Amino acid sequence: MSDKPLYVTEPALPPFEQFEPLLREIWASRRLTNGGAFATRLETELAGYLEAPQVSVLANGTLALMLALKALEVEGEVITTPYSFVATTHALVWSGCTPVFADIDPVSLNLDPAAVEAAITPRTRAILAVHVYGRPCDTAGLQAVADRHGLRLIYDAAHAFGVRLDSGSLMAAGDAAILSFHATKVFHTFEGGAIVCRDEALKARIDLLRNFGFKGETRVLATGINAKMNELQAAFGCLTLGSIDAEIAARAAIAARYRAAFAPLTGLRLLSGLPGVARHNHGYYPVFIEAGFPLDRDTLYTRLREQGIIARRYFYPLISDFDMYRDAPGADHLPVARRMADTVLCLPLFGAMDDADVARVIDAVNAAART
Ligand code: T4K
């Protein structure tokens, strides 16, 4: 059996020869960044693929969060989930907002609209929800809370690229959604991100802010930042968007093999699909190690590591357990999120896994289950 590390994910990379002509185009144009042809083309192609009217491509997902908050003029308290990557909350603090944590729903693993409503104070200005693992939030429930209290609703859709609902695009929910195109994501541009919205004026504001606030050569209209996507990133995105459906299909096949292998195991809980989801993107494969499994989560994590299988505990610890957020409002009572963080393990899942890789993970988990 191979002892080559098998990581939780590996970036999809097309043959280098396919990227070369695009690199030559960039060299010939001498346009490397600041709104080049590939960045413009990627925005158009993403708008089509994501069924999203307005797309602004950006340097990464964290800056996308910060720009969305800035463009929507969000200040004050923002209710958010503790069960996410730390960037979600960091972006709030970098933007001068106060994070307020609310608990998650045990099925979707996303913000529970009732918990959000209970956390609202006169200082609340917005909700920052996450479609964790690409599992859609209760968008109707959250929108109803936002509407009742006059709040902005922003989605961190970093995990949700390519997820489709029966009712249309998930990207249409809320005031804006942000995407991450980091190398670990289903669709990536090495580093990268985007904001998706419906409002043309909001896109114009985001585009201004991503380039220092410049309007033309001599006027600066806002305290912008440098959040532009460069041409290398954008060209790579244009290239790989063509194979994204194949990447998602390959992941779906591996996820189906995992499901068939693990469903009979006692104490290893799998997530079920959510109603209304027409296509999942299989960005992650989380399992939950509960009572009845012979090993606890951390022992299984270590056991797999010893065999070169680098599973990850996304998202443990909870964001609200990091020192700088321990005293934030709501951080002391998040029982559902805590239970998930303490039991979750994300197994390797990426399109380039071969049959032997998949069998290696299945055999290792099965062996642990027989301990
Ligand atoms: N919101 C949410 C909900 C997010 O999950 C994220 C990022 C963001 C916002 C912010 O978006 P960005 O600003 O990042 O665009 C990773 C990623 O760095 C991060 O993008 C991602 N979420 C988070 C969930 O995962 P780490 O520290 O776990 O990554 P790392 O470097 O340990 O990589 C994981 C594994 O992937 C490695 O063991 C090997 C493999 N890998 C990784 C890279 C970078 C490769 O094979 N090649 C690579 O180039 O955070």
Side-chain angles (χ1 to χ4, degrees), residues 293-308:
F293 199 78
L295 306 178
D296 65 22
R297 189 274 310 272
D298 288 346
T299 310
L300 177 60
Y301 164 81
T302 306
R303 184 77 58 90
L304 295 178
R305 258 190 113 86
E306 286 163 1
Q307 298 168 64

Side-chain angles (χ1 to χ4, degrees), residues 5-13 58-65 81 83-89 91 129-133 156-160 178-185 188 190-194 284 305 310-312 314-315 319 350:
L6 183 53
Y7 294 110
V8 70
T9 191
E10 266 184 23
L13 282 174
L58 300 166
N60 60 58
T62 305
L63 281 163
L65 281 166
T81 171
Y83 193 70
S84 180
F85 189 60
V86 72
T88 310
T89 305
V130 178
H131 302 299
V132 80
Y133 310 133
D156 178 339
H159 301 173
I178 78 91
L179 290 159
S180 164
F181 304 151
H182 182 261
T184 54
K185 299 296 189 289
H188 76 94
F190 288 42
E191 295 269 4
Y284 297 83
R305 258 190 113 86
I310 319 296
R312 293 291 292 266
Y314 297 132
F315 289 100
I319 301 176
F350 51 94

Side-chain angles (χ1 to χ4, degrees), residues 240-299:
T240 54
L241 193 57
S243 49
I244 186 66
D245 288 334
E247 170 68 21
I248 292 175
R251 287 166 176 255
I254 297 165
R257 279 182 68 189
Y258 279 164
R259 174 167 290 280
F262 300 144
L265 300 183
T266 307
L268 187 144
R269 186 168 64 85
L270 307 177
L271 290 178
S272 44
L274 292 174
V277 178
R279 183 177 78 166
H280 190 36
N281 69 0
H282 304 282
Y284 297 83
Y285 198 86
V287 298
F288 296 82
I289 311 305
E290 299 180 336
F293 199 78
L295 306 178
D296 65 22
R297 189 274 310 272
D298 288 346
T299 310

Side-chain angles (χ1 to χ4, degrees), residues 58-103:
L58 300 166
N60 60 58
T62 305
L63 281 163
L65 281 166
M66 291 165 63
L67 278 195
L69 292 161
K70 177 93 175 166
L72 288 164
E73 299 177 336
V74 176
E75 290 169 347
E77 292 182 1
V78 179
I79 300 174
T80 191
T81 171
Y83 193 70
S84 180
F85 189 60
V86 72
T88 310
T89 305
H90 277 353
L92 287 173
V93 176
W94 275 81
S95 306
C97 299
T98 303
V100 173
F101 294 107
D103 209 353

